[in-house]
Amino acid sequence: MTDAITTPQMLKALESMCETIEDEKEYLSDLDGAIGDGDHGVNMAKCFREVKKKLAVTSAADVGSLFKDVGMVVLNSVGGAMGALYGTFFLKLSQESAGKSEVDLDDLVRIFQTGEQGILDIGKASLGDKTLIDTLSPAVRAIEAAEKEGKSLAGALADFEQAAKQGMESTTDMLAKMGRASRLGERTIGHQDAGATSCYFILRSLASAVSA
Ligand SMILES: Nc1ncnc2c1ncn2[C@@H]1O[C@H](COP(=O)(O)OP(=O)(O)O)[C@@H](O)[C@H]1O
Ligand SMILES: [Mg+2]
């Protein structure tokens, strides 16, 4: 057996991602309510409900096609800043995993690097701006490092999840420089960023594929 995530395992992880976003809807909207307009959980839940429906009938036979299904639905169904950002993220993941019936650690490093770059290119946020990049970039750096150290797939994904969590938590002390929250300036300090939090839930779900 190779150390890789299969297409059925990734499908399960994506389904659990939809469940998690639904379960955390109020929490995400509360976080956004403190320094934004309070719609983040509603936006995300509405969108991932559509993703769930799509996954229930998907004919995707490889990991790339699964990510493409998710990306297309997200791009077309979310309002707010997130549709373009997360839609692009999943389409970039799909680009790097096209035709692959399973993905190993080497694949995952490239897949997540490409997803990160896609969000950076369209969102133009930098590390420390109090956005989902503060969750995503540290997670990608951690999986890169774990691969270089020769860690197992499960070990590398555990590092990825931990770094994402710490990144999410690090946004509490930051001043928002992007999006709606940036208008509040200093008042954003002391609140965890909503997008950084939804990004953590997404990455944690993806990391769980290894044990799905
Ligand atoms: N340029 C950007 N790059 C990356 N993430 C961003 C950017 N602008 C905003 N965000 C993320 O979007 C989240 C807000 O999303 P949401 O509430 O759904 O959209 P809106 O700001 O339109 O109400 C923020 O918490 C932040 O993490
Ligand atoms: Mg909002």
Side-chain angles (χ1 to χ4, degrees):
M1 202 189 92
T2 55
D3 203 9
I5 293 170
T6 64
T7 305
Q9 283 178 309
M10 193 59 86
L11 175 59
K12 264 198 195 168
L14 291 168
E15 285 168 341
S16 95
M17 170 180 78
C18 297
E19 299 297 330
T20 302
I21 297 293
E22 185 70 49
D23 292 346
E24 303 290 351
K25 181 174 103 176
E26 281 177 28
Y27 175 52
L28 291 173
S29 278
D30 286 350
L31 289 173
D32 189 36
I35 54 174
D37 56 357
D39 63 351
H40 189 62
V42 175
N43 290 342
M44 293 292 289
K46 193 168 150 240
C47 163
F48 283 86
R49 237 171 264 149
E50 296 305 313
V51 173
K52 188 180 170 185
K53 282 188 208 159
K54 175 71 191 175
L55 291 174
V57 298
T58 182
S59 55
D62 59 74
V63 174
S65 306
L66 279 178
F67 286 145
K68 189 170 181 191
D69 278 350
V70 176
M72 293 305 289
V73 173
V74 174
L75 206 57
N76 290 319
S77 69
V78 201
M82 305 316 288
L85 294 173
Y86 282 141
T88 300
F89 177 68
F90 281 103
L91 290 179
K92 291 290 176 184
L93 300 189
S94 115
Q95 196 177 302
E96 280 302 313
S97 52
K100 287 186 183 292
S101 58
E102 54 178 42
V103 287
D104 62 15
L105 179 53
D106 198 51
D107 296 323
L108 282 171
V109 169
R110 267 183 307 104
I111 288 169
F112 286 125
Q113 284 171 338
T114 307
E116 178 195 15
Q117 196 56 52
I119 292 194
L120 289 171
D121 287 346
I122 59 162
K124 314 260 187 249
S126 303
L127 200 64
D129 284 353
K130 199 178 182 100
T131 71
L132 60 99
I133 285 298
D134 295 304
T135 298
L136 180 58
S137 290
V140 180
R141 299 294 84 74
I143 197 171
E144 286 167 351
E147 192 210 11
K148 286 212 178 72
E149 288 163 23
K151 290 199 176 176
S152 67
L153 178 62
L157 284 170
D159 289 0
F160 175 80
E161 191 264 346
Q162 264 309 304
K165 182 163 192 276
Q166 283 171 16
M168 166 187 80
E169 289 166 354
S170 77
T171 63
T172 302
D173 296 332
M174 293 175 186
L175 185 136
K177 302 215 183 68
M178 300 296 288
R180 222 176 273 282
S182 64
R183 299 173 201 164
L184 294 185
E186 299 278 335
R187 278 172 53 203
T188 59
I189 296 174
H191 300 279
Q192 186 172 298
D193 179 62
T197 309
S198 63
C199 187
Y200 169 64
F201 292 137
I202 290 172
L203 299 186
R204 187 181 68 184
S205 300
L206 293 174
S208 78
V210 72
S211 48

